[in-house]
Amino acid sequence: MDPEKDKPLPQTSPTSAATTTATDDNNHDHNTTTTDHDNNIINNDSSSSSNDHRPDDQGSPQQNLGDDTTKQEAEPDPDLDPQKAETIDSDINEQPQSAADQVNLQETTPPFSLDLNKVSEEVDQYISTLSTSKGDESTPPAEVPTFVHQFALLIEAKIVDYESSENPVKWSQLEQEDSTSFLEATLRLSSLSKAISELSSEHKHAHFVNRIGGVLQRAMSYIEEEFKSLIEDYRIHDSDHSNSNDTKPKQPTSSTPNEESDENPPPESAPVEDNNFPGYSEEILSDLLRLSKAMIAGGYEMECCQVYFVARRNALEESLQKFGFEKHSIDDVQKMHWESLEREIANWIRTFKQCASVHFTGERRLSQALFSDHPLMSESLFCSLSQGVILQLLNFADAVALTKRAAEKLFKFLDLYEALRDILPIIDNLFAEESLTEVKREASMIKGRMGEAMISIFVDLENSIKADSGKTPVPGGAVHPLTRYTMNYLKYACEYKETLEQVFKEHQKIERADSATGSDFNYQSQAAQNPNNNDNNNNNAVVKQSPFQTQITKVMDLLDANIESKSKLYKDHALSSIFMMNNGRYILQKVRGANEINRLMGDSWCRKRSSELRQYHKNYQRETWGRLLSCLHPDGLMNNGKVVKPVLKERFKSFNAMFDEIHKTQTSWVVSDEQLQSELRVSISNMVIPAYRSFLGRYSQVFTPGRQTEKYVKYQAEDIETYIDELFDGSAAQMGRRRP
């Protein structure tokens, strides 16, 4: 504390005192007209400070009053010495004065010889007396004692000392005893102002109300400034900013479901829990509590709330930015490239989770602690702060839902939808029911838009499969890109099975003339519609399916129809069978390899697929190797018990030519699934090698050993087996060592 504070304060001249009195009277009228304006400051959602009412602001009536008084106290009279001042003080206490003279003398009474504790006791007694006599109209209002003005001068002197431009005193610099004394004095000023204002409306009393009110306002301005400084000195914990990857493991890392990866991404990290108040130490919290109580008790609750609201709103916005979330208008989101929007959605999900599980809980604890005696005020501040952030987050989600539909957006839409679904119940527990009306309405609309957008994406997927009518066959009968894309897409989609079931049940409002999805979500699959199906138990049966299962089944049936039509582009029936085997095997493996889609399609579907694959396998063997084996048939080779040599020669020549052609052609065919490739080679070998070895052993001795044998017997059984193992590699490899 400044040691100069206790030095004597000189008197002002009578002329100056009279001027001050006139100024105070005039300022009282101005104060009355400015009160309503100041009371409207709170709830104005702006970042401007609430200092418009402070005495140090230009144009404030209280400022003019306080400054005049300060100037009078600060201008020393060269003719006044301490002894003379003591004499004047003694005379004031001994001689009775008129009311007008008493007011003028009160303006000039120096506080240097006064004891604040003693004056405070006198003020407390005076307030008690006024409270006791309140409502007694038979007794005329008493004169306001001199010590009332002395008390105001002493408090103002403290404020002048604290607000010194050369050495200002911050709240944290005050000793506990000094800060407590100052707050008690401020509350005493407030009680004194209320008590005198109820005493009488006479001019002499109004002057004291105005005088004390000016000092009170200056004291509250200092308290408010210190409250603002402390509440703004928050610290956002670095630990709150999790670097977790909120992208689900089931979601493709890119927007192309064709890309397959067996890598398991790191598990999603849970939001960081914070058991402390957001960014404040216990010491600062204690100071904030004392200051807020003083402001509210002194009638400055609106200013206190506004300072608190602006500071905590800025803190929350800073937290959002730290998590990478930024404000974007709907136009900004609409124009954003999808790769950028994907990152923004991931940041949004992380921010939304952190706010619901950590920040909002901390904000509730903080408001409850600082306004513990005023639960309605605490709840109002918390709701206003949190709802502002929630609506800001919901606006982004709404903008995403309104973007143009595209297949690659489905999975981010699902992540966003799940965040809304899972986090909103947490928020429900933080707010009173009546406070959530707007939030619930907005969230419900956004979920509805998001759900309808996702259903529309599946409709677009159906249409894209139907529209894929390319006339160029895939080289080598390999898996078609449409098959690869669709199955990967469905596999990832089925990992959101529960969410998509909910989406299709709650948000399916799209009626399509070509849709097989009825109001009861019954779908008669192609298998059930086929009267030639071997499964008589399922003939003409209507399969009861859930909404999402109905959708997946329809997409699978559309894919089957499309692949079958593409198989007809191959002129070689054997290659057409290879194409159907490749695509059918790929579809089956995708279904069996993913639990969700496997459970969705069911065992009977998988058995039916396996049966179809075996049939394609048989068709291939018949078309390719059945004709080759006809060359090894003994019919027509014998005449009268003897081998017809020219016919035998023709049989060997036909076999050699046909096998050469098969090998040349089918080494360029593609069977990418190693198991299917192995199964094909084994079945071919089991079919061809024994028959050829038997035919060769029976008829090769007919030829003259030497050149004739080598000319017609081109392959040994081992050679045939080697060349069969070269089939389906996808390259027209040259045949191995040939016999001349």
Side-chain angles (χ1 to χ4, degrees):
M1 195 66 65
D2 192 344
E4 299 294 327
K5 183 188 73 172
D6 296 327
K7 287 186 178 181
L9 295 179
Q11 288 179 311
T12 58
S13 65
T15 303
S16 175
T19 302
T20 303
T21 304
T23 303
D24 289 342
D25 293 341
N26 185 49
N27 287 340
H28 173 72
D29 296 334
H30 284 289
N31 265 350
T32 304
T33 61
T34 58
T35 303
D36 292 340
H37 170 71
D38 291 341
N39 288 342
N40 291 327
I41 294 177
I42 192 63
N43 297 329
N44 181 15
D45 187 14
S46 65
S47 59
S48 61
S49 173
S50 60
N51 295 338
D52 294 342
H53 66 280
R54 294 175 185 167
D56 54 334
D57 288 343
Q58 185 175 0
S60 170
Q62 284 77 6
Q63 176 195 3
N64 296 336
L65 177 65
D67 289 348
D68 288 346
T69 305
T70 305
K71 290 177 181 178
Q72 294 161 13
E73 295 166 358
E75 295 175 0
D77 188 342
D79 298 329
L80 182 67
D81 56 31
Q83 293 180 352
K84 185 176 180 180
E86 292 177 5
T87 302
I88 293 174
D89 187 45
S90 174
D91 292 341
I92 290 174
N93 293 329
E94 293 175 3
Q95 300 178 12
Q97 305 290 334
S98 66
D101 292 339
Q102 188 178 14
V103 170
N104 288 337
L105 286 174
Q106 286 168 345
E107 293 288 350
T108 63
T109 302
F112 64 89
S113 61
L114 301 176
D115 181 0
L116 178 59
N117 291 332
K118 182 176 182 302
V119 175
S120 296
E121 292 177 0
E122 293 175 331
V123 169
D124 289 340
Q125 182 63 40
Y126 178 63
I127 294 173
S128 177
T129 301
L130 292 179
S131 176
T132 303
S133 62
K134 182 179 179 181
D136 186 1
E137 298 180 356
S138 62
T139 304
E143 299 289 342
V144 178
T146 303
F147 59 74
V148 170
H149 181 69
Q150 293 172 342
F151 178 69
L153 287 177
L154 288 171
I155 300 306
E156 190 170 41
K158 276 183 175 291
I159 300 171
V160 170
D161 183 31
Y162 292 170
E163 294 180 339
S164 169
S165 58
E166 296 179 358
N167 188 25
V169 179
K170 303 299 292 180
W171 188 260
S172 58
Q173 296 175 285
L174 293 175
E175 298 291 339
Q176 180 75 18
E177 182 179 353
D178 291 337
S179 62
T180 301
S181 174
F182 182 76
L183 291 178
E184 290 175 351
T186 303
L187 295 179
R188 190 173 286 111
L189 271 176
S190 177
S191 300
L192 185 61
S193 177
K194 292 177 183 176
I196 296 178
S197 66
E198 296 174 354
L199 182 64
S200 172
S201 59
E202 294 182 16
H203 171 75
K204 58 183 180 181
H205 294 132
H207 166 80
F208 281 102
V209 171
N210 193 37
R211 180 72 181 95
I212 294 170
V215 178
L216 175 63
Q217 189 169 24
R218 192 166 183 179
M220 283 297 176
S221 294
Y222 173 77
I223 292 175
E224 179 183 346
E225 192 63 33
E226 294 307 304
F227 181 77
K228 178 183 178 184
S229 177
L230 289 176
I231 198 72
E232 287 180 346
D233 190 24
Y234 55 83
R235 178 174 60 88
I236 298 179
H237 299 294
D238 292 336
S239 60
D240 285 352
H241 184 33
S242 170
N243 292 322
S244 63
N245 180 10
D246 282 280
T247 302
K248 289 178 175 286
K250 59 194 175 187
Q251 180 182 335
T253 56
S254 70
S255 299
T256 55
N258 278 333
E259 297 180 10
E260 303 173 52
S261 174
D262 294 330
E263 296 180 1
N264 295 320
E268 180 181 353
S269 299
V272 179
E273 293 294 337
D274 185 2
N275 295 322
N276 300 318
F277 291 102
Y280 301 105
S281 65
E282 292 294 332
E283 182 180 358
I284 292 178
L285 281 172
S286 176
D287 287 336
L288 286 171
L289 177 60
R290 295 168 65 208
L291 292 172
S292 65
K293 284 186 174 181
M295 291 185 70
I296 294 172
Y300 282 68
E301 65 274 6
M302 299 178 73
E303 289 80 359
C304 180
C305 289
Q306 182 174 351
V307 170
Y308 177 89
F309 179 86
V310 172
R312 292 312 307 162
R313 183 191 61 188
N314 293 339
L316 285 172
E317 289 183 351
E318 187 176 336
S319 296
L320 298 187
Q321 293 176 359
K322 193 166 185 180
F323 275 89
F325 177 77
E326 298 180 3
K327 291 182 181 179
H328 294 289
S329 67
I330 292 180
D331 289 339
D332 291 339
V333 174
Q334 297 288 329
K335 296 175 183 177
M336 200 175 294
H337 292 296
W338 175 240
E339 291 77 10
S340 300
L341 189 54
E342 278 186 304
R343 291 191 294 271
E344 292 297 325
I345 292 174
N347 291 336
W348 180 92
I349 294 171
R350 183 168 56 248
T351 303
F352 199 26
K353 289 181 179 179
Q354 189 73 10
C355 284
S357 59
V358 178
H359 291 326
F360 292 160
T361 303
E363 289 300 324
R364 173 176 281 281
R365 289 199 301 265
L366 180 63
S367 65
Q368 288 176 339
L370 296 190
F371 305 100
S372 55
D373 296 336
H374 306 275
L376 293 180
M377 184 185 299
S378 167
E379 184 68 17
S380 176
L381 283 169
F382 167 70
C383 289
S384 297
L385 283 167
S386 302
Q387 285 189 26
V389 175
I390 294 171
L391 292 175
Q392 180 179 329
L393 290 166
L394 290 180
N395 287 340
F396 174 82
D398 193 23
V400 173
L402 294 174
T403 58
K404 185 178 179 181
R405 297 192 309 265
E408 67 271 14
K409 294 183 179 181
L410 175 66
F411 304 104
K412 280 298 179 183
F413 278 17
L414 282 163
D415 288 341
L416 200 151
Y417 184 93
E418 287 183 344
L420 286 171
R421 180 198 64 194
D422 298 340
I423 295 173
L424 286 174
I426 300 176
I427 295 176
D428 285 354
N429 296 329
L430 295 175
F431 294 90
E433 181 65 27
E434 59 273 12
S435 303
L436 286 172
T437 303
E438 184 179 0
V439 170
K440 284 186 173 180
R441 182 175 62 252
E442 185 70 18
S444 178
M445 289 190 300
I446 294 171
K447 284 178 64 180
R449 292 192 191 103
M450 193 86 49
E452 291 172 11
M454 288 187 282
I455 293 173
S456 296
I457 288 175
F458 274 96
V459 175
D460 292 342
L461 178 62
E462 293 179 24
N463 294 333
S464 67
I465 294 173
K466 295 176 185 177
D468 192 323
S469 56
K471 301 302 181 182
T472 303
V474 178
V479 177
H480 197 280
L482 177 64
T483 304
R484 194 179 300 275
Y485 177 89
T486 303
M487 291 310 301
N488 278 285
Y489 198 87
L490 295 182
K491 173 190 172 185
Y492 291 125
C494 286
E495 295 190 17
Y496 291 87
K497 176 179 175 293
E498 292 183 4
T499 302
L500 284 169
E501 289 281 17
Q502 179 182 355
V503 167
F504 275 85
K505 286 179 181 177
E506 295 181 3
H507 306 292
Q508 184 161 9
K509 301 176 182 178
I510 302 172
E511 296 295 337
R512 299 168 298 174
D514 64 333
S515 176
T517 304
S519 59
D520 294 329
F521 301 105
N522 297 333
Y523 180 70
Q524 189 171 1
S525 68
Q526 289 182 352
Q529 297 176 43
N530 184 2
N532 297 321
N533 194 298
N534 293 329
D535 189 354
N536 294 324
N537 293 329
N538 288 333
N539 275 351
N540 300 320
V542 176
V543 181
K544 288 284 187 178
Q545 296 180 322
S546 67
F548 180 56
Q549 188 179 13
T550 298
Q551 182 65 64
I552 294 298
T553 302
K554 180 170 186 184
V555 172
M556 296 285 276
D557 287 345
L558 288 172
L559 178 61
D560 286 342
N562 189 289
I563 294 302
E564 187 173 355
S565 67
K566 284 179 169 51
S567 70
K568 295 179 173 58
L569 297 175
Y570 297 97
K571 297 179 180 180
D572 190 325
H573 294 298
L575 182 55
S576 176
S577 296
I578 290 292
F579 175 77
M580 292 301 294
M581 267 193 289
N582 274 323
N583 285 269
R585 181 66 169 236
Y586 185 86
I587 292 171
L588 184 60
Q589 292 299 93
K590 280 295 177 182
V591 170
R592 284 178 170 171
N595 292 333
E596 292 298 335
I597 193 172
N598 188 20
R599 285 194 292 266
L600 198 66
M601 300 311 297
D603 292 337
S604 60
W605 183 91
C606 291
R607 287 194 298 269
K608 178 177 176 295
R609 282 283 174 171
S610 298
S611 177
E612 291 174 353
L613 286 176
R614 287 192 296 270
Q615 188 60 47
Y616 293 135
H617 192 158
K618 291 177 181 178
N619 293 342
Y620 162 75
Q621 287 184 325
R622 183 178 63 252
E623 291 292 334
T624 298
W625 303 101
R627 292 188 296 114
L628 181 69
L629 291 180
S630 65
C631 298
L632 305 179
H633 202 278
D635 291 348
L637 289 177
M638 304 295 292
N639 186 13
N640 298 323
K642 293 183 179 181
V643 176
V644 182
K645 198 170 185 180
V647 176
L648 181 62
K649 291 179 180 179
E650 191 61 32
R651 290 286 182 90
F652 272 103
K653 287 173 63 177
S654 297
F655 178 89
N656 295 336
M658 195 176 297
F659 185 79
D660 288 346
E661 182 62 26
I662 291 173
H663 183 272
K664 178 182 178 181
T665 302
Q666 297 194 15
T667 51
S668 64
W669 292 3
V670 177
V671 177
S672 53
D673 183 84
E674 294 184 358
Q675 183 178 352
L676 177 59
Q677 187 184 74
S678 176
E679 289 174 0
L680 282 169
R681 289 171 177 172
V682 169
S683 66
I684 293 168
S685 296
N686 291 339
M687 182 180 183
V688 175
I689 300 300
Y692 183 74
R693 181 178 285 114
S694 175
F695 187 82
L696 191 63
R698 184 175 180 182
Y699 298 106
S700 62
Q701 68 273 18
V702 174
F703 299 116
T704 304
R707 290 180 58 122
Q708 192 178 47
T709 301
E710 293 178 354
K711 180 179 179 180
Y712 294 105
V713 183
K714 191 174 183 179
Y715 300 108
Q716 295 297 319
E718 293 76 11
D719 299 327
I720 297 295
E721 188 170 9
T722 299
Y723 296 142
I724 288 174
D725 287 341
E726 295 175 356
L727 301 179
F728 316 120
D729 279 337
S731 61
Q734 293 293 325
M735 293 182 66
R737 179 178 58 85
R738 291 178 179 271
R739 294 180 181 273

